[in-house]
Amino acid sequence: MARIEIDRVRKRYQAERIVDLPGGRERPALNGVSLRLAQGETVSVVGSSGCGKSTLLKVVAGLEYPDEGRVLYNDHDVTYVRPQERGVGMVFQDYALYPSMKGKGNLAYYFEVHDRTEEEAERRVRETADRMGVGFETLLGRVPTTLSGGEQQRVAIARCIVREPQLFLMDEPISNLDAKLRERTRVEIRKLLRKFTITTLYVTHDQQEAVFMGDRIAVMRDGDIEQVGTFDELYSTPANLFVATFIGSPPMAVIPATIERGEVVVPGGTWRLPPDLAGKLPAGPVRAGVRPEGWILDAPDGVPMPVRHRERIPTERATFLYGHLGEANVAVTAPIDHPDRSEVAITPDWERVYFFAAQSEEPLHVPGVLELF
């Protein structure tokens, strides 16, 4: 196993692959990214398409070399070391199994290429099959085309494990499976990662998958890592508005507002701030962020919100009410037996409200945090 350090890595592609930003600036694929993985830790990297997460994975694997910065395994600089010399196991979205080989052949091929003995190959394949758990041996005698997507993924993971890698790199490994199989396969992958405690960088665009798989989560945007932390840290103390709205489902409502004389003026009405909070916030335009559970329904000072859609959540005995305040999309958690009305009055629970600067997206107030950012 390895400790991994990604130190101020920059990567810029050819001009035709660069996205222009306002003012004629160019956005590199990676813009001075730094990230550390402890030995045996799984870190999920999540972000929208084109944010740089797959490029980051390729740089760590050695499939791409950075223009600046370093990659270290156990404090050893491997920035320009060839992929095959890094002791890395990679699992791809398309499995990349050899179609003409049975499962056993896919596992043993590594030893054939590296001139290892048949005895060693047989022993390592057998040990890996035992470690993979019940039912895996039956997959070794079948070619990939006869296996389901989840079974192929198990073989692809076993092909990495048989090499005893220092590091696992997984690039959206279950994104092309159907929803039911994806859920089952991610449970199996998480079990294997915990069982083998191999340091893992797991790339995905799916927030729920990132939360389930990762001990910590790195949120990326436009070639930068915006924040790294556990789900609770990202959810409760987001570094900026982007992280606040990216993490959580339904997402946080972000409402354009103005602070005036101890009040929050929003589309459709006004809320009075508690005195202690009013003294912390600057007058003028802000953005108020409220998660679904951060609302109080039918309070006397509530602002009216037309209800456009209801979604029941039987497992949580709750209902989401969806509507708008001005142009802001709002989701409100309500009791499952809340009356079905076309309009509700909503007021923030001030102990759960976030405030962000109107222009910079930086937090002005995070609930539960004593000092402002």
Side-chain angles (χ1 to χ4, degrees), residues 13 25 55 63 99 116 132 141 145 156 169-170 180 212 214 266 290 294 304 323 329 354:
Y13 288 114
R25 294 177 293 123
T55 300
L63 300 174
R116 305 289 181 83
M132 289 294 290
T145 53
L169 300 175
M170 297 192 170
K180 198 168 186 178
F212 184 83
V266 296
V290 188
N329 295 316
Y354 299 74

Side-chain angles (χ1 to χ4, degrees), residues 4-11 13 29-35 37 43-46 51-64 66 70-71 73 86 90 167 169 171 201-203 218-220 223-225:
I4 306 300
E5 181 175 358
I6 302 160
D7 181 29
R8 294 169 291 180
V9 165
R10 291 178 62 87
K11 177 66 180 177
Y13 288 114
L30 297 175
N31 188 29
V33 168
S34 295
L35 179 65
L37 285 75
V43 173
S44 298
V45 181
V46 65
C51 70
K53 55 187 184 295
S54 290
T55 300
L56 177 63
L57 198 79
K58 291 175 183 177
V59 168
V60 174
L63 300 174
E64 299 270 10
R70 301 181 303 162
V71 178
Y73 291 6
R86 296 192 184 198
M90 291 197 69
L167 173 67
L169 300 175
D171 191 3
L201 195 62
Y202 190 101
V203 163
V219 180
M220 288 196 72
D224 292 302
I225 291 180

